[in-house]
Amino acid sequence: MTDAADPSPAPVPAAPSRALWAMFLCLLSGFALSQAFRTVTSIIAVGLEADFGLSPSSLGAFAGLFGLSFGVTQLLMGIGMDLYGLRRTVLTVFPLAAIGAAVSASAPSYGWLMLGQLLIGVGCSPAFLACTVFIARHFPPQRFAFFSGVGMGVGGLGLIFTGTPLAWIVEHGGWRRGFWVLAVLSLLSWLLIHFRVHEPALPQASNRPRESWGRAAAGFGTLFRMPHTWGIFVLGMCCYAAFLSLRGLWLGPLLSGRFGFSLVEIGHVTLVLSLIALFVPACFGRLDPGPARRRRWIVSLALLTAGMFVVLAFLQLRVATVVLIFAMGLLSGYSVLQYADVRSSYPAEVTGRALSLYTMSMFLGVALMQWLTGWVAAWARHHGDDAFRAVMLCIAGMLVAASAAFRFLPRSPLLPRRSPP
């Protein structure tokens, strides 16, 4: 066993061993905490507004800072995993999440709250990337979409925590107690990874000289010189960001502001939405149509999601709104198809970096969309318009534009040119 890693492809068994499954689940504990941190704002938003007098734009900036810090550091995490291995990278960086949660829990002002969010975003940045690279290196390549879906489903336990459980904690102990609980859970996850994860060495890892940071960083520039990267990058910035902006930022304010939901009622809705998120990624992974038809599926599902946001913008019926939100949760699992598309679009020797670049696009998109929708909400209120309607239409417009870019920009030469009959 070793912490060393190598970006070269390695033969994998037809089925992963128990030891690999155990390590994968331990890594997923960090991803579950990352999911909890990135969606906590929807539950604590009311408390933050009351304690610090935050405007919608300030609240959007707070929520978006996680995605910004998370996304910006993805390239560094990808290089770190190539040079030092998954385990060492995660163990070095993840403690910042616990420290950031403690800073947030004791924050005396908005500035300290933002510092805590910054630390949390950086600390969580290797969480999901470590899981996807672990799958790419050690699990059967033809099952990548399925295992990625399983990973996203298990990571959805973090979404469940930020539903009814966190709502109950916040209602009875305040939003600060919620952050203290997350800090303790982060520490426990770090200990689990420290004692149970020991990444298997890849063939030829000991025979190759270690790549320098500068050369590794230049490898990401090579990805951007590939024309098909841009369509993948642009769509990656919008699809996951659309769902996370709803689930992690606007769900609570929408339900309370438009329909008068209590905090616990909002928690119940988010809990059901999170339970849906446990299963749909694996379902989409199993339904993966393969590289010849996958891109068509992705565009169609993204446009369908955009249409649902348009309906949500104008819908004024309480029960119908909740049903529509659950339907959007059922569609959210198609993001696993995007990861499979990335894996199929690049040579095996750059798979890890391509996945880290795509993950970076996702969370830069989260930061951009949450900041932009916060600004849009503030602008709409200033002009006497419905802030939630403006937000949902903004998200829908971004999804349509990104889908068009993905559809019409160049595609990877590694993909089949047409669907089989």
Side-chain angles (χ1 to χ4, degrees), residues 65-280:
L65 185 57
F66 176 98
L68 179 62
S69 56
F70 188 106
V72 166
T73 52
Q74 283 304 296
L75 299 187
L76 296 178
M77 295 305 107
I79 295 172
M81 289 177 194
D82 280 345
L83 299 185
Y84 306 112
L86 307 180
R87 178 180 184 272
R88 189 178 300 177
T89 302
V90 172
L91 291 179
T92 300
V93 179
F94 195 56
L96 292 176
I99 295 171
V103 170
S104 298
S106 54
S109 65
Y110 178 66
W112 282 96
L113 194 68
M114 293 292 276
L115 174 61
Q117 189 79 330
L118 176 67
L119 292 172
I120 291 169
V122 175
C124 290
S125 60
F128 187 53
L129 180 60
C131 298
T132 55
V133 174
F134 190 85
I135 295 169
R137 289 177 177 170
H138 304 296
F139 284 23
Q142 68 274 18
R143 305 292 305 283
F144 181 84
F146 171 71
F147 286 118
S148 296
V150 170
M152 294 179 72
V154 174
L157 292 172
L159 300 178
I160 289 179
F161 178 76
T162 54
T164 302
L166 183 64
W168 186 89
I169 292 171
V170 171
E171 186 168 68
H172 290 84
W175 61 268
R176 295 181 187 273
R177 182 174 295 179
F179 271 120
W180 281 120
V181 171
L182 287 170
V184 172
L185 292 175
S186 299
L187 178 59
L188 293 176
S189 173
W190 184 90
L191 291 172
L192 186 64
I193 294 169
H194 175 74
F195 287 110
R196 299 300 301 273
V197 176
H198 298 278
E199 188 185 0
L202 296 179
Q204 303 176 346
S206 61
N207 298 329
R208 292 192 177 194
R210 175 170 288 180
E211 192 175 19
S212 68
W213 273 87
R215 189 173 177 183
F220 284 103
T222 301
L223 294 179
F224 277 113
R225 288 194 293 273
M226 298 178 180
H228 64 272
T229 295
W230 291 101
I232 292 172
F233 192 86
V234 170
L235 188 64
M237 290 187 69
C238 290
C239 290
Y240 181 68
F243 177 72
L244 195 63
S245 293
L246 174 65
R247 169 63 179 83
L249 175 59
W250 293 110
L251 181 62
L254 172 68
L255 295 178
S256 63
R258 185 174 279 183
F259 303 108
F261 276 54
S262 69
L263 187 60
V264 171
E265 287 175 329
I266 294 170
H268 293 335
V269 174
T270 56
L271 177 62
V272 175
L273 190 60
S274 302
L275 287 171
I276 292 171
L278 282 178
F279 301 104
V280 292

